[in-house]
Amino acid sequence: MSAAVIIGASGGIGGAIADALEEEGAFSIVHRFARSSTGTAHIDITDDASVANAAAFVSKGDAPTLVIVATGILHDADNGPEKALKDLNAAWLTQVYAVNAIGPALVAKHFLPLMPRAGRTVFAALSARVGSISDNRLGGWHGYRASKAALNQLIRTISIEERRRNSSSIVVALHPGTVDTALSKPFQGNVAPGHLFDAGRAAVQLLDVLDGLRPPDSGKLFAWDGAEVSP
């Protein structure tokens, strides 16, 4: 038996993924980490020491063969996605990059070494289609787009290094679609009918995508329906 690790398990998607994995019963334990949690379940992905502490806790048990980073930030009480250059704010840009790109990279830094050096392993991070540079036709949302593009590039480079350690490893980014969570709440009015997913459905869709991936898929971005998204 092996372990699964969900980073961001207090969020809608992360919590639903953890629930689905526990219901499947394929892992000896499903570790749930979140910034809002206390004790050993606490993690701040923008803090290297905090991520290291979480990894050290996981290292005491069965090795993880699945790690999913289900974190992300699009807006907060004072800031939202920029509609124009005049809206750019250095402090907010820094925060968005820290959560959306740097954080998942720190998780990879500390958790990938815990995963087996042989056999199928999966490391996945939630990204977004708007992080695709070639798919950007509307502009705007500068910080969110750029931070997710940075994440996609990090996933690519991390996958290359991890392949040298374990040729059966899979490191990918996932686009969950628009999910009915606090992150998307202010922007759901523009979603086409049938394309707003509840968290439970989104979790199952993403896990189905992961189940269908193979080592040659490592380093890529996949949407909730299994389609590869161009960088």
Side-chain angles (χ1 to χ4, degrees):
M1 296 290 284
S2 61
V5 177
I6 308 301
I7 310 292
S10 65
I13 299 177
I17 290 174
D19 290 344
L21 291 172
E22 288 181 345
E23 185 175 341
E24 289 178 2
F27 295 93
S28 60
I29 186 172
V30 177
H31 294 284
R32 297 175 182 241
F33 291 99
R35 184 175 182 180
S36 59
S37 298
T38 58
T40 56
H42 171 75
I43 191 170
D44 179 352
I45 63 170
T46 66
D47 182 341
D48 194 273
S50 177
V51 179
N53 287 338
F57 176 77
V58 171
S59 71
K60 298 175 182 178
D62 292 337
T65 55
L66 174 65
V67 176
I68 299 178
V69 185
T71 56
I73 188 171
L74 174 60
H75 58 86
D76 64 11
D78 301 313
N79 301 277
E82 311 90 349
K83 295 181 179 180
L85 280 171
K86 63 182 179 60
D87 300 323
L88 289 179
N89 176 286
W92 176 242
L93 278 173
T94 301
Q95 175 69 6
V96 170
Y97 268 89
V99 174
N100 291 343
I102 299 172
L106 292 178
V107 174
K109 169 188 173 182
H110 291 287
F111 279 85
L112 281 176
L114 304 182
M115 304 180 86
R117 298 181 64 91
R120 187 180 191 271
T121 62
V122 177
F123 180 97
L126 295 192
S127 186
R129 187 183 297 275
V130 296
S132 167
I133 295 174
S134 61
D135 193 54
N136 183 1
R137 297 175 179 84
L138 297 176
W141 289 33
H142 299 289
Y144 189 72
R145 286 185 186 275
S147 64
K148 290 298 187 178
L151 171 60
N152 296 341
Q153 180 68 284
L154 283 163
I155 287 293
R156 177 65 175 173
T157 57
I158 291 167
S159 74
I160 294 170
E161 181 172 342
E162 182 63 8
R163 186 181 300 121
R164 301 187 187 114
R165 198 181 75 93
N166 178 0
S167 61
S168 297
S169 66
I170 299 170
V171 179
V172 293
L174 297 173
H175 167 58
T178 304
V179 184
D180 188 10
T181 63
L183 183 143
S184 69
K185 189 69 70 177
F187 314 101
Q188 293 177 5
N190 298 323
V191 180
H195 287 269
L196 178 63
F197 307 129
D198 64 67
R201 176 181 172 183
V204 171
Q205 290 174 162
L206 293 175
L207 290 175
D208 284 346
V209 171
L210 292 179
D211 284 344
L213 297 181
R214 299 294 179 265
D217 298 315
S218 193
K220 300 176 181 179
L221 167 63
F222 291 92
W224 58 270
D225 58 358
E228 182 181 347
V229 179
S230 60

